[in-house]
Amino acid sequence: MHRLSRRPAVSSILRANGSRYRSAAAAQSPASSFLLTNSGVEGDTSNKWYSVLTGGRAVSGTGSALRIQLPNGMLLGKRYESTAAESDASSPPPTGEKYEYQAEVSRLMDLIVNSLYSNKEVFLRELISNASDACDKLRFLSVTEPALLKDNVDFDIRIQTDKDNGIVTITDTGIGMTRQELIDCLGTIAQSGTAKFLKALKDSKDAGGDNNLIGQFGVGFYSAFLVADRVVVSTKSPKSDKQYVWEGEANASSYTIREETEADKVIPRGTRLTLYLKRDDKGFAHPEKIQKLVKNYSQFVSFPIYTWQEKGYTKEVEVDEDPAEAKKDGEEGSAEKKKKTKTVVERYWDWELTNETQPIWLRNPKEVSTELYNEFYKNTFNEYLEPLASSHFTTEGEVEFRSILYVPAVSSSGKDDMVNPKTKNIRLYVKRVFISDDFDGELFPRYLSFIKGVVDSNDLPLNVSREILQESRIVRIMRKRLVRKAFDMILGISMSDNREDYEKFWDNYGKYLKLGCIEDRENHKRIAPLLRFFSSQSEDYIIGLDEYVENMKPDQKDIYYIASDSVTSAKNTPFLERLMEKDLEVLFLVDPIDEVAIQNLKSYKEKNFVDISKEDLDLGEKDEEKEKAMKQEFGQTCDWIKKRLGDKVASVQISNRLSTSPCVLVSGKFGWSANMERLMKSQTMGDTSSLEFMRGRRVFEINPEHPIIRNLNAACSGNPDDEDALRAIDLLYDTALVSSGFTPENPAQLGSKIYEMMNMAISGKWSAPAAEYVPQQDHQQPAFSQPQNQEPMEAEIVEPVEAGNHKQ
């Protein structure tokens, strides 16, 4: 026997009592309502809303846009029976149950308002952008439907404030909204009417090329709740005869729509937003605050923006005369009496145009004069000096944007303030709406942070709040093009006929470009021609690397430089002696950043940079036979000096860079120079443990043609243990240490040696020999010792001699 399955019977019971099970399941659902779509019933396409509050009855109305739609009239989806036929491998697998996301509307609104926007000021920018889009839509539609404009052809945006009650009203003469558009645009979160309009334009055959519409995300309107407890939107569309009012409150999950019935609140066309500000945000209801925000964020919106401002004018009014003065005037009997007046200021309220400055970057550069560029610069950045240069350009292709860049005449942050890369010098706009001026190197590197300008683009990768420029390939492309244009602008200053223009630029921004040599290896070829330095042949003015290369000797292979703390010390250094004889030009690096910048640059036009204070200096001409003879003659002396100096030097060599000095102390090829060692020691946060490691080797070079060295060579051959000769070596080393730019480890000991040598040199030269000074010992009085083995002298008596009658 076979047991019959009872499942078909159960299935029939379920189908027969579908409504009962639907009501029971609905009671267990966490959602407040759900939708049943009776698509399986022929001719019935209506949607019914069920709620747990009505016990399964249908609820009329459109409801929220956030809902669950279950297919085929099934509440919890289809149930698939497990049978032998369905387990066949050839049959398709069962489809999963499909659900739509749910959301708690009030919580979602709170997240949108308080998480997307970090600055409350942007509420006005967003609402003005919406008003501008409304005007743009009507202007576009009126081309094909002129009747939409009727008699009112003017487009404008007006903002009125009531600071006593904390109310801000924004009115535009744009397209307005119908009742259904209010539900779709303001009642549906993240649905952008502008984005929908742009899509319709794109799909239309009559779509235009350029558009100025700003909206993208459909959440800008809700920024009003950043500062307002309640928002009332009164709107009149030219497509409708009725005016409707939308009203919503912060942290509420519902809103109301009604028809406007008050005659004094009727508007001919457009939208009026009324914001009832929160207690802590009533400062936004001050007219001066609103005017400031409009000028900052919406200065370049293409429609005029008027704000309600208090104004005044002066007039003369009569003053009541004092009775005592009137009596006095009557007694004097003045024939002609003048009435007394005073000047008063009459106050009144009127509309004032706030966005007067035009976005000149949208115009053709050929049509804009230098005066207009300078005026725009002064108004936008609050400058009083004209810029050194400007650059107006449009970039097309993968990224499209327009920009105007300026080089300020004077550095606003000071020459020494290059640490903080954050500046407010670049103002970023998207479709003429200000986005931000707070950047951390996204558009310009730190060493070009002094460049000022505006950048306007239609397709920047912004986040929803429009406050953050997200890192992407597009941003990197924009950065490259902006940097390239900035370099072209600076190069134009350097090639100017007026040399003083670039000297002024270099005095203000030279250190910035040197910083670029360190931080931006990719742009070395653009930075190097802009560098300027003093040199051994131009101590009074700066020269460029191109000029240095032109002045190089035919057989000169390298670019020579010396780093020091001043031009005076650089030109008197012993390292220059032989190069000056050969008329080889040497660059003077006198700024602390110079040496590091040149070391990062490494070469220019295939000419390597060579530090003349380091070992293995190659000056081109070599006489191998003479060098061999010198080494043979002074080789033993070099070893003798090295033995005396010990670990103070790595080696003692015969120098090819000296002509008048007896010796010099040079740095190792891969270690710090004397100048760098001095700078590192002076660092506040420097690591002292790295000083010994990076100091590198020191090489003591001697000049074999100098008399001192020849005398020491004779001492080495005759009496190498002579104390005076050894002390002369010590003093020679200490002197070379100072003249080469190093800091002596024991300055007091060096001073004592110098004093001793001075005493030996000048003793008895201008006066009789003095008694020998005996140092004080054991608290005894100092005394001068008498010369030893000195016999007493007898006095000689001379008798007077008579000459004539006189005695002498």
Side-chain angles (χ1 to χ4, degrees):
M1 293 181 62
H2 297 280
R3 183 179 295 272
L4 297 176
S5 173
R6 299 179 60 187
R7 291 185 179 179
V10 176
S11 301
S12 62
I13 293 174
L14 288 173
R15 286 193 295 270
N17 298 280
S19 61
R20 183 180 65 186
Y21 279 88
R22 282 194 296 270
S23 299
Q28 299 174 0
S29 174
S32 60
S33 62
F34 52 88
L35 177 66
L36 298 182
T37 305
N38 296 324
S39 58
V41 182
E42 183 179 358
D44 187 2
T45 60
S46 61
N47 297 336
K48 295 183 180 180
W49 286 89
Y50 287 81
S51 173
V52 296
L53 302 178
T54 58
R57 294 175 296 172
V59 181
S60 62
T62 58
S64 173
L66 300 170
R67 58 186 183 268
I68 298 181
Q69 185 174 354
L70 303 180
N72 299 327
M74 297 300 294
L75 177 64
L76 300 176
K78 295 182 180 180
R79 178 178 177 181
Y80 295 92
E81 301 291 340
S82 177
T83 62
E86 291 173 346
S87 64
D88 190 359
S90 62
S91 61
T95 58
E97 299 174 356
K98 184 177 181 181
Y99 296 91
E100 290 189 5
Y101 294 106
Q102 304 179 62
E104 186 179 343
V105 179
S106 60
R107 178 61 178 160
L108 182 60
M109 286 288 294
D110 181 67
L111 289 174
I112 290 175
V113 172
N114 298 309
S115 299
L116 291 183
Y117 302 99
S118 60
N119 188 357
K120 289 185 176 183
E121 293 180 350
V122 300
F123 85 93
L124 191 63
R125 179 195 70 186
E126 298 295 315
L127 298 180
I128 290 177
S129 299
N130 288 346
S132 175
D133 282 352
C135 295
D136 257 325
K137 292 176 190 176
L138 181 58
R139 183 170 60 178
F140 184 87
L141 294 175
S142 65
V143 176
T144 55
E145 300 178 58
L148 293 176
L149 292 179
K150 296 183 180 179
D151 297 333
N152 188 6
V153 295
D154 295 331
F155 297 98
D156 58 37
I157 303 168
R158 298 179 183 268
I159 307 174
Q160 191 171 7
T161 59
D162 182 358
K163 63 181 180 180
D164 296 330
N165 298 314
I167 299 175
V168 176
T169 304
I170 304 173
T171 307
D172 68 73
T173 57
I175 188 65
M177 288 177 282
T178 62
R179 180 187 182 93
Q180 188 59 40
E181 287 172 342
L182 277 175
I183 297 173
D184 293 340
C185 296
L186 303 188
T188 305
I189 300 174
Q191 176 170 314
S192 172
T194 299
K196 186 183 296 185
F197 184 76
L198 288 175
K199 186 177 184 302
L201 289 181
K202 187 176 181 180
D203 296 339
S204 172
K205 295 181 181 179
D206 300 329
D210 296 333
N211 65 80
N212 295 321
L213 297 175
I214 303 168
Q216 300 181 55
F217 305 106
V219 295
F221 166 76
Y222 305 106
S223 65
F225 292 107
L226 284 168
V227 296
D229 281 325
R230 184 163 65 98
V231 178
V232 177
V233 181
S234 182
T235 181
K236 170 71 168 61
S237 172
K239 299 179 181 180
S240 174
D241 296 332
K242 297 180 180 180
Q243 180 175 331
Y244 294 97
V245 179
W246 182 99
E247 186 172 345
E249 296 182 357
N251 301 324
S253 58
S254 62
Y255 57 89
T256 60
I257 297 178
R258 57 181 172 84
E259 185 178 342
E260 183 62 79
T261 56
E262 300 181 26
D264 59 335
K265 295 184 178 180
V266 174
I267 55 178
R269 184 191 73 221
T271 303
R272 180 174 61 236
L273 274 73
T274 305
L275 278 63
Y276 297 88
L277 302 180
K278 301 175 183 178
R279 178 181 301 177
D280 296 339
D281 298 315
K282 288 189 176 181
F284 289 106
H286 286 267
E288 297 82 5
K289 181 70 172 178
I290 290 295
Q291 188 179 47
K292 180 181 177 182
L293 294 180
V294 171
K295 287 186 176 182
N296 186 41
Y297 289 100
S298 306
Q299 177 77 6
F300 303 108
V301 170
S302 55
F303 298 99
I305 303 175
Y306 296 92
T307 55
W308 190 246
Q309 298 292 332
E310 185 180 15
K311 300 183 178 181
Y313 64 92
T314 59
K315 68 177 183 178
E316 298 289 333
V317 296
E318 295 182 2
V319 180
D320 294 336
E321 193 173 6
D322 190 7
E325 293 183 0
K327 183 178 180 181
K328 183 178 180 181
D329 293 340
E331 292 176 354
E332 294 177 355
S334 57
E336 189 175 347
K337 185 179 178 182
K338 293 184 179 180
K339 294 183 179 180
K340 292 186 177 182
T341 62
K342 67 177 182 179
T343 303
V344 296
V345 179
E346 191 74 17
R347 297 288 181 180
Y348 69 99
W349 290 83
D350 196 6
W351 293 106
E352 180 178 324
L353 181 63
T354 304
N355 59 335
E356 295 179 328
T357 307
Q358 297 300 317
I360 62 174
W361 64 81
L362 299 178
R363 298 168 58 180
N364 189 337
K366 297 180 180 178
E367 301 174 356
V368 184
S369 63
T370 304
E371 289 74 16
L372 283 177
Y373 284 127
N374 295 343
E375 183 181 357
F376 176 81
Y377 169 75
K378 293 178 181 178
N379 293 335
T380 305
F381 299 101
N382 297 322
E383 292 283 350
Y384 62 93
L385 295 176
E386 294 183 353
L388 292 177
S390 63
S391 176
H392 182 189
F393 60 93
T394 300
T395 301
E396 297 179 350
E398 195 171 3
V399 180
E400 297 184 5
F401 65 91
R402 299 172 181 264
S403 179
I404 300 179
L405 302 179
Y406 295 94
V407 176
V410 180
S411 176
S412 57
S413 58
K415 288 183 261 185
D416 298 327
D417 187 14
M418 297 186 295
V419 178
N420 186 8
K422 288 189 176 182
T423 64
K424 294 185 178 295
N425 291 339
I426 299 297
R427 296 177 62 86
L428 177 65
Y429 293 83
V430 172
K431 298 181 180 179
R432 306 168 319 283
V433 176
F434 175 69
I435 300 301
S436 177
D437 59 0
D438 187 12
F439 297 107
D440 192 5
E442 290 90 348
L443 294 179
F444 273 100
R446 177 171 64 160
Y447 68 92
L448 289 178
S449 59
F450 61 89
I451 297 290
K452 293 187 177 183
V454 296
V455 178
D456 189 3
S457 177
N458 294 345
D459 52 0
L460 284 182
L462 301 172
N463 68 342
V464 180
S465 67
R466 306 171 189 260
E467 295 174 356
I468 302 174
L469 187 62
Q470 297 173 346
E471 178 64 25
S472 69
R473 188 173 59 88
I474 295 178
V475 176
R476 290 193 293 270
I477 294 174
M478 284 186 62
R479 175 187 168 113
K480 283 185 178 180
R481 294 180 181 176
L482 287 171
V483 170
R484 190 180 308 157
K485 289 294 182 179
F487 278 123
D488 292 343
M489 182 170 52
I490 299 172
L491 185 62
I493 304 175
S494 67
M495 298 176 65
S496 173
D497 295 334
N498 189 358
R499 191 184 185 102
E500 294 180 357
D501 289 343
Y502 195 73
E503 289 180 354
K504 185 177 181 181
F505 168 84
W506 185 256
D507 185 50
N508 283 279
Y509 308 111
K511 291 184 179 179
Y512 288 81
L513 296 184
K514 295 171 186 177
L515 180 64
C517 294
I518 302 172
E519 296 187 343
D520 194 355
R521 197 174 296 271
E522 295 180 359
N523 286 304
H524 277 179
K525 291 184 178 180
R526 292 188 174 93
I527 298 175
L530 303 174
L531 299 178
R532 297 292 184 271
F533 302 98
F534 292 102
S535 76
S536 58
Q537 297 180 6
S538 60
E539 300 174 5
D540 300 326
Y541 59 92
I542 53 178
I543 64 168
L545 296 179
D546 287 325
E547 189 174 350
Y548 180 95
V549 173
E550 290 178 3
N551 297 334
M552 289 177 62
K553 300 299 179 183
D555 56 345
Q556 184 178 345
K557 300 178 181 179
D558 302 317
I559 300 175
Y560 300 113
Y561 72 88
I562 179 69
S564 186
D565 58 347
S566 67
V567 174
T568 303
S569 61
K571 70 180 182 180
N572 293 314
T573 181
F575 299 106
L576 272 178
E577 294 174 358
R578 187 57 60 86
L579 287 93
M580 294 291 286
E581 287 183 355
K582 293 188 174 186
D583 198 25
L584 296 176
E585 190 172 12
V586 179
L587 297 177
F588 293 163
L589 311 185
V590 295
D591 277 343
I593 196 175
D594 284 354
E595 187 174 0
V596 183
I598 289 296
Q599 288 175 354
N600 280 269
L601 206 57
K602 293 183 180 179
S603 64
Y604 180 70
K605 291 186 176 180
E606 300 180 356
K607 307 288 186 181
N608 294 326
F609 290 99
V610 173
D611 187 352
I612 64 171
S613 68
K614 293 193 174 183
E615 63 177 336
D616 297 337
L617 178 64
D618 183 10
L619 298 180
E621 298 179 0
K622 283 189 177 182
D623 189 346
E624 296 183 357
E625 294 184 359
K626 183 178 179 181
E627 289 182 3
K628 185 176 180 181
M630 285 292 181
K631 287 182 180 179
Q632 186 175 359
E633 181 181 356
F634 289 90
Q636 187 177 357
T637 303
C638 292
D639 296 338
W640 176 54
I641 296 175
K642 172 64 176 72
K643 181 179 179 181
R644 175 62 179 177
L645 297 179
D647 295 335
K648 294 180 181 180
V649 296
S651 63
V652 179
Q653 300 176 4
I654 297 175
S655 178
N656 66 337
R657 72 187 86 206
L658 298 177
S659 61
T660 59
S661 299
C663 60
V664 72
L665 198 63
V666 301
S667 304
K669 199 169 185 179
F670 302 103
W672 284 339
S673 66
N675 182 69
M676 183 59 64
E677 186 175 323
R678 175 181 58 83
L679 292 175
M680 297 307 295
K681 284 182 178 179
S682 64
Q683 296 297 312
T684 304
M685 305 299 292
D687 184 11
T688 55
S689 62
S690 64
L691 291 177
E692 290 297 325
F693 174 74
M694 288 301 298
R695 187 173 67 175
R697 45 183 279 154
R698 295 176 180 175
V699 177
F700 190 69
E701 292 189 358
I702 59 175
N703 180 8
E705 298 177 357
H706 198 277
I708 295 179
I709 302 301
R710 290 195 172 276
N711 287 331
L712 288 178
N713 186 40
C716 175
S717 303
N719 189 7
D721 297 328
D722 184 77
E723 197 65 30
D724 291 336
L726 297 177
R727 289 168 62 191
I729 293 175
D730 294 338
L731 183 60
L732 205 61
Y733 170 80
D734 291 336
T735 308
L737 199 68
V738 176
S739 63
S740 302
F742 293 97
T743 303
E745 298 178 357
N746 192 344
Q749 185 179 13
L750 174 61
S752 299
K753 293 178 182 178
I754 296 175
Y755 296 150
E756 183 180 358
M757 296 296 293
M758 289 177 62
N759 185 43
M760 293 173 60
I762 67 175
S763 178
K765 189 171 183 179
W766 299 288
S767 63
E772 184 180 352
Y773 177 77
V774 179
Q776 180 180 355
Q777 295 180 356
D778 299 331
H779 303 285
Q780 296 177 359
Q781 293 296 328
F784 289 92
S785 62
Q786 297 293 332
Q788 297 179 359
N789 301 325
Q790 184 175 6
E791 296 180 355
M793 297 178 63
E794 295 182 356
E796 182 180 358
I797 300 175
V798 180
E799 295 291 338
V801 179
E802 293 185 3
N805 296 326
H806 300 279
K807 285 188 178 181
Q808 292 183 347

